[in-house]
Amino acid sequence: MGDDPHRPRRTKKEPVSLCLPMGLDEADMQRLDQIIGRRRRIKRDQSLYRMGDRFDMLYAIRLGHFKTYQVNSNGSQQITGFQMAGELLGMDAIGTSRHQCEAVALEDSEVCEIPFSQLEELFQDMPVLLRQFHRIMSKEISREQGVMLTLNSMSAQQKLAAFLVNLSSRYATRGYSASRFQLRMTREEIGNYLGLAVESVSRLLSNLKKNGVIDVSHRDLELLDLPTLRSIALGADPCS
Amino acid sequence: MGDDPHRPRRTKKEPVSLCLPMGLDEADMQRLDQIIGRRRRIKRDQSLYRMGDRFDMLYAIRLGHFKTYQVNSNGSQQITGFQMAGELLGMDAIGTSRHQCEAVALEDSEVCEIPFSQLEELFQDMPVLLRQFHRIMSKEISREQGVMLTLNSMSAQQKLAAFLVNLSSRYATRGYSASRFQLRMTREEIGNYLGLAVESVSRLLSNLKKNGVIDVSHRDLELLDLPTLRSIALGADPCS
DNA sequence: CGTTCACTTGAATGGGATCAAACTGTGTGG
DNA sequence: CCACACAGTTTGATCCCATTCAAGTGAACG
């Protein structure tokens, strides 16, 4: 699969998270930068926060990947999402002041702490920042609705295709290759997230590979035919 | 099933939607009231907004019930949620300035229009209102994550039980009976939402009734054994 | 070099979908 | 008033996809 496809294409300097400061002028940008707290390194399998932890920080992922999951009353855990560099972590906790899920690093990662109370103070002076923040939260809502809800009524193949397409487009918007990346999570984690058995995930990946839609070897993934993958996600062409 | 269980127990006057003005003082309350636009009546099966419509209003449901759904590229529609009086509608659109889904009244209903730009102006002066708004959006995120994502890996029986428990608790927080209410949606709509066939929904309801967990006749529903229903939702006791 | 963890592949089972048919309440028009 | 149409619902029989159980492969690491 060749050299690392994970180097961003973008060269522009980014003082903070990809999305939050969009549309801010220099002065505002600096004010935002000032409240961005210390960087924190999270080693693989360490948790950034746990369920029930008091909420006072949002986290901008600088480097690496995370998963978030809830633990049901019966003890089983349900992965609620995978987050990548450039995304914001912790918004689910704003409602209750307590974290609703646990965030664990899938690899050695790095985040910036954003004290939420200070962010709220900035909102009072910087409508543009507030608007951008609302935009992000709103997108989070439709992401769940759009991607996740429809999973419910999808076949296993559709689910997996939709998952890959979703990853692809998120990498793309962050300046990485849309067609070539590493899966940072295990097959089991994918299965847990999508509501599939590990074996099904494995079988489906093999099948897509056999049909020339993707190439996959361990965690290395290449989307050979994104249009077809998209159409599979939409329910067409079971691809034999 | 006797007389209407849908009269709220609460007697306190509520100038606007249940949740938004929580914690505001009288003066702020009045300012909020002033931007609440005209009431709009939506007859059954009419849509409040359609996919792609420009977003400039949030809607507080005063009366009635709605469903929201997306139309997939393949033409099929996927119900993304059911909303009841006291809930806020339209937040998914903030991110893109376009509505991501269509909202249709399940019965003759009434909403208040809340011009979002004016709400944003209020945010600048009223941190408490802003905080409350963030709380609602955040809850919306965890609702999706919590309820919907876990649906994915649930059995049909669990899904339906979880759905009923969810409705129950939402009615409860809004002052209605937690154990007795009408289903405002068809079996087909429930099935669409949960990713089940109509026949399955019907069968499962019959089964729960046979086992004395619920009583159901047409749209009239009574939850006879809420604890058991909860435990079914969590994956215990398949109830024969 | 052997243990371990993640993954793959095969065969059998079962839950929910699908197909088919009957039933119910509601509204409509004669 | 009844006859009819119709949409929503229920119930039964069959089928199929995804899970489960089981076994095996392969890379990573001490």
Side-chain angles (χ1 to χ4, degrees):
Chain A
M1 293 242 151
D3 55 1
D4 183 18
H6 297 282
R7 204 177 318 106
R9 287 200 223 88
R10 199 178 335 95
T11 53
K12 201 180 120 227
K13 184 169 170 273
E14 299 171 55
V16 276
S17 91
L18 176 64
C19 21
L20 206 49
M22 228 163 76
L24 297 188
D25 61 32
E26 268 307 315
D28 284 348
M29 204 85 127
Q30 282 190 0
R31 291 188 59 190
L32 176 58
D33 264 353
Q34 277 168 10
I35 73 157
I36 304 287
R38 64 191 174 90
R39 294 202 181 190
R40 216 170 114 190
R41 294 172 167 282
I42 313 288
K43 294 200 84 65
R44 195 189 145 165
D45 292 332
Q46 273 190 343
S47 53
L48 178 58
Y49 52 79
R50 292 170 199 279
M51 267 180 83
D53 277 2
R54 185 151 181 80
F55 162 74
D56 32 37
M57 304 276 189
L58 287 175
Y59 300 94
I61 304 177
R62 304 289 321 211
L63 205 72
H65 287 72
F66 286 80
K67 68 174 171 182
T68 49
Y69 61 87
Q70 298 179 315
V71 179
N72 305 341
S73 326
N74 58 37
S76 69
Q77 67 181 56
Q78 169 66 52
I79 295 178
T80 55
F82 300 106
Q83 296 79 24
M84 56 181 65
E87 296 184 335
L88 224 45
L89 216 40
M91 283 182 297
D92 61 293
I94 297 174
T96 57
S97 306
R98 298 267 165 201
H99 284 287
Q100 302 299 300
C101 57
E102 177 152 353
V104 169
L106 293 174
E107 61 191 313
D108 293 0
S109 302
E110 203 178 308
V111 300
C112 280
E113 298 179 337
I114 307 176
F116 187 62
S117 55
Q118 291 184 44
L119 191 61
E120 280 183 308
E121 284 167 22
L122 274 197
F123 287 155
Q124 295 305 313
D125 300 342
M126 296 165 55
V128 180
L129 180 66
L130 177 59
R131 188 164 293 170
Q132 186 59 17
F133 180 69
H134 286 164
R135 202 162 281 150
I136 293 169
M137 285 191 82
S138 173
K139 282 211 170 116
E140 187 73 12
I141 293 176
S142 9
R143 186 182 69 84
E144 293 307 324
Q145 286 190 349
V147 180
M148 291 296 82
L149 238 171
T150 51
L151 278 188
N152 225 346
S153 46
M154 278 170 153
S155 73
Q157 198 180 38
Q158 280 180 276
K159 286 184 188 179
L160 189 69
F163 174 70
L164 296 179
V165 169
N166 177 263
L167 279 185
S168 164
S169 70
R170 282 159 71 195
Y171 281 123
T173 55
R174 283 171 180 78
Y176 298 95
S177 168
S179 62
R180 215 171 171 190
F181 47 87
Q182 277 189 5
L183 296 170
R184 298 328 234 268
M185 63 298 286
T186 68
R187 307 285 194 267
E188 179 158 20
E189 286 165 333
I190 296 176
N192 180 305
Y193 178 62
L194 296 178
L196 297 175
V198 199
E199 297 94 327
S200 296
V201 174
S202 179
R203 259 184 265 272
L204 291 162
L205 283 172
S206 301
N207 195 40
L208 287 174
K209 180 177 180 178
K210 201 180 68 189
N211 288 106
V213 183
I214 67 173
D215 189 16
V216 61
S217 156
H218 309 287
R219 303 286 180 89
D220 295 317
L221 184 69
E222 183 167 8
L223 308 185
L224 299 172
D225 189 352
L226 203 42
T228 296
L229 206 57
R230 269 189 247 276
S231 75
I232 291 175
L234 292 176
D237 180 20
C239 208
S240 85
Chain B
M1 293 243 149
D3 55 4
D4 182 18
H6 297 283
R7 203 178 318 107
R9 288 201 224 88
R10 199 176 339 93
T11 53
K12 202 181 119 224
K13 184 168 171 276
E14 298 170 57
V16 277
S17 90
L18 176 64
C19 22
L20 208 48
M22 229 162 75
L24 297 188
D25 60 32
E26 267 306 317
D28 284 350
M29 203 85 128
Q30 281 190 1
R31 290 187 59 189
L32 177 57
D33 263 354
Q34 276 168 10
I35 73 156
I36 304 287
R38 65 190 174 89
R39 294 202 180 189
R40 217 170 114 191
R41 295 174 164 279
I42 313 288
K43 293 201 84 64
R44 196 190 145 163
D45 292 332
Q46 273 191 344
S47 54
L48 180 56
Y49 52 78
R50 291 169 200 279
M51 267 179 83
D53 277 1
R54 182 148 186 81
F55 162 74
D56 31 37
M57 303 276 188
L58 288 175
Y59 301 94
I61 305 176
R62 303 292 319 214
L63 205 71
H65 287 73
F66 286 80
K67 67 173 171 182
T68 50
Y69 61 88
Q70 298 178 314
V71 179
N72 304 341
S73 325
N74 58 37
S76 69
Q77 67 180 55
Q78 169 65 52
I79 295 177
T80 55
F82 300 105
Q83 296 78 24
M84 55 182 65
E87 297 183 335
L88 223 46
L89 216 40
M91 283 182 297
D92 61 293
I94 298 173
T96 57
S97 306
R98 298 264 165 206
H99 284 286
Q100 303 299 301
C101 59
E102 177 152 352
V104 169
L106 293 175
E107 62 191 313
D108 293 1
S109 301
E110 203 179 309
V111 301
C112 280
E113 298 180 336
I114 307 177
F116 187 63
S117 56
Q118 290 185 42
L119 191 61
E120 281 182 308
E121 284 167 23
L122 273 197
F123 288 155
Q124 295 306 312
D125 300 341
M126 295 166 55
V128 179
L129 180 66
L130 177 59
R131 187 164 293 169
Q132 186 59 17
F133 181 68
H134 286 165
R135 202 162 281 151
I136 293 169
M137 285 191 82
S138 172
K139 283 211 170 118
E140 188 72 12
I141 292 177
S142 4
R143 187 182 70 83
E144 292 306 325
Q145 285 189 348
V147 180
M148 291 295 81
L149 243 170
T150 50
L151 276 188
N152 224 348
S153 46
M154 278 171 153
S155 72
Q157 197 180 38
Q158 280 180 276
K159 286 184 189 180
L160 189 68
F163 173 70
L164 296 180
V165 169
N166 178 263
L167 278 185
S168 164
S169 70
R170 282 159 71 196
Y171 280 122
T173 55
R174 283 170 180 77
Y176 298 94
S177 167
S179 62
R180 215 169 171 190
F181 47 88
Q182 275 189 5
L183 296 170
R184 299 325 236 266
M185 63 297 285
T186 68
R187 307 284 194 267
E188 180 159 20
E189 286 165 335
I190 296 175
N192 180 305
Y193 178 63
L194 296 178
L196 298 174
V198 199
E199 296 94 326
S200 296
V201 174
S202 180
R203 261 184 264 273
L204 290 162
L205 283 173
S206 301
N207 196 40
L208 286 174
K209 181 177 178 177
K210 201 179 68 190
N211 288 104
V213 182
I214 67 172
D215 190 15
V216 60
S217 156
H218 310 288
R219 302 286 181 90
D220 295 316
L221 183 69
E222 184 166 8
L223 308 185
L224 298 173
D225 188 353
L226 204 42
T228 296
L229 206 57
R230 269 190 246 276
S231 74
I232 291 175
L234 292 176
D237 179 20
C239 206
S240 85

